Amino acid sequence: MTQFQHPQHQILTNAKIQLDCAKYFLSQDDVPNLLKKNANLYANSLENEINYLSVVDHPIVFIGDIGVGKTTGISQLFNLIIEQKKSLQERVILTTGAGGTTICEVSINSGSNYSIKVEPLGEDQVQLLVNDWVAKFFSKDQNVGVSKEVDRAIRNMANLAFKRKKIDGKLVVEDPAVILAKEYNDPELMIKEVSQRIDYSVRSQNEIVYSDHEETGEEWLKSNFQEINNGVKPDFPLPQRINITIPQSLLPSSPYDIEIIDTKGIDKTAIREDLTEWVKNPYSIIVLCSSFNSAPDSSIQQFLEYLNEIGLQKVIQERVRLLVLPRPDEALAGDAGEMVESAEEGYLLKETQIRDRLQEFGASDIQINFFNAQSDDSQEILLAFANHIEDLRHTHVKRLNSLISAMNELMENPDSQLALASQHFVNQSLQSSIKHYNRLPFAQNTIPSYLAKEIEKTHQRTVWAMVKRNGDWDPSITFLIGYASRAIAQQQSKKALDGLNELLTILLDNSELATTHNFLQQLLNNLDLWHDTFLNEIEDFAKLIFQAIANADFWGECLEIYGQGLQFRKIVIDSIEAWFEEETQAKLQEGFLQVVQALWEQKFLEPIKELCQDEETEEYQEAA
């Protein structure tokens, strides 16, 4: 997007001019140090807001259970359909089914033509999946193996898809993979055979562009997407992400660059690295998808609880929304099976129930939409998406205007004695409050306890795959350690953050401190930024110091006992807890808690202390 097209071009131009003025103001020797601190806070905040608004890319990220109708809803909402087809399944371009259909995350962008680009899984990763897939033919445990969509792709790539034939007039399904397993009677030999059949080294093509005009672009996209997703296209590798381009605007009423993200369906646990990364993207709109009857689905509730645990409440308030996907006639059943007169009435009744349930997660005020892909009009929801992006950006525009005004006021009255006296009072109040929060309280939970809680909720097949890879699976053990450490730090620091927010709000309501209100508002805006920086540092540090878990002996020991009728999850959890109790890790945990305290002081308290430190006592006394 060129500069003159930028929707916030004028405010950004004004802000950049003001930033230059602020830098000049800060270079002057005759400005009181106290006001220089304020000006420096404003200048840094100005730069942050300019950087944010300069970006015009906004992903709309859909998250929901396997089989909830997420992919079908996306296809209908964004006109990814073939008009001349009759049934919904024939009409939608993206591959849909009863769940477990899309093999990976799918990205949809606007462009000049229809195209598909694959980000492939590496050959080593595919080999591990083949190993897992073969294992199920030599194990009595139904939890061994791979997901439904990966199973389908490997079968197609290795020419081992199910075959249907008639024997004595009856339809019989034959499994060539079972026949192959019996023929080789050895998992290693079968792995070798399947790998040779796939011949991953020749699957080097990763992009295809529409040029054959014997079929429409939509038909071309549907057939090629389905072949790539299902492992049918012979030159294409197994995808870890599929990027689709279509020659149409995804959100016609929005001036921004929109990307639609169809994430992999949630299978038991919503605590996943890919979903977390999208949530942390400050430009994303997170659309939580739920079935109608159980809305909000348990996985959605789990995800909201997780966001609260790791200190992302602001994300829930600002960037999360709920999309309920009723199937035909579900909304007409009303409450407790009582029929209602229209789907709209059913939606209203359901929304009241949903908001009551969401209150527990601090999400009762999020935007809620209902969309029946069979019959509802998409335009109202598309407009709601566009407005959500506008509202998000408008929050930053308001902050930018406030900063410009604050900087002007500061530069116009640098010698105001009233301002200095009020600032002195505010500084004393902040200093007094911060003393109560210098030391973080003792952590009630430990990293192993969080890991145990999450592994308990994880699908047994996923735990098995994690153990086979020494923890390097989704969710990986290092990701879970980062999550656990962040949750602990959030738990320890929440009281301090809430207390300081409350104090700043009280000071802002005091009309006698009007000259400090700009400063207080910017300080309030920055609290969340400093707190998030603190949590991010904790998360990264924990991943680093406990990375030796990937080389622990217990992974192999757990794998050896798998399938012996024992409680596998419990054994894995007990092994992880025992590893953390070993002397080396016990010392690391003690050190970790010390680092949490040090980072709390450095990343959160220090910026506040620096701003409210009185260096000009005589000046304040004269002003008083």
Side-chain angles (χ1 to χ4, degrees), residues 558-574:
C558 288
L559 193 60
E560 285 179 8
I561 62 169
Y562 186 77
Q564 295 180 16
L566 302 173
Q567 293 180 303
F568 184 63
R569 269 201 202 89
K570 185 177 186 309
I571 290 169
V572 173
I573 289 168
D574 289 347

Side-chain angles (χ1 to χ4, degrees), residues 2 59 99 118 143 155 206 257 304 379 414 431 467 499 554 565 592 600:
T2 57
V118 167
N143 290 304
R155 286 177 177 277
N206 62 7
D257 292 337
L304 291 169
Q379 293 309 304
Q431 287 171 6
V467 170
F554 70 79
F592 168 72
W600 169 249

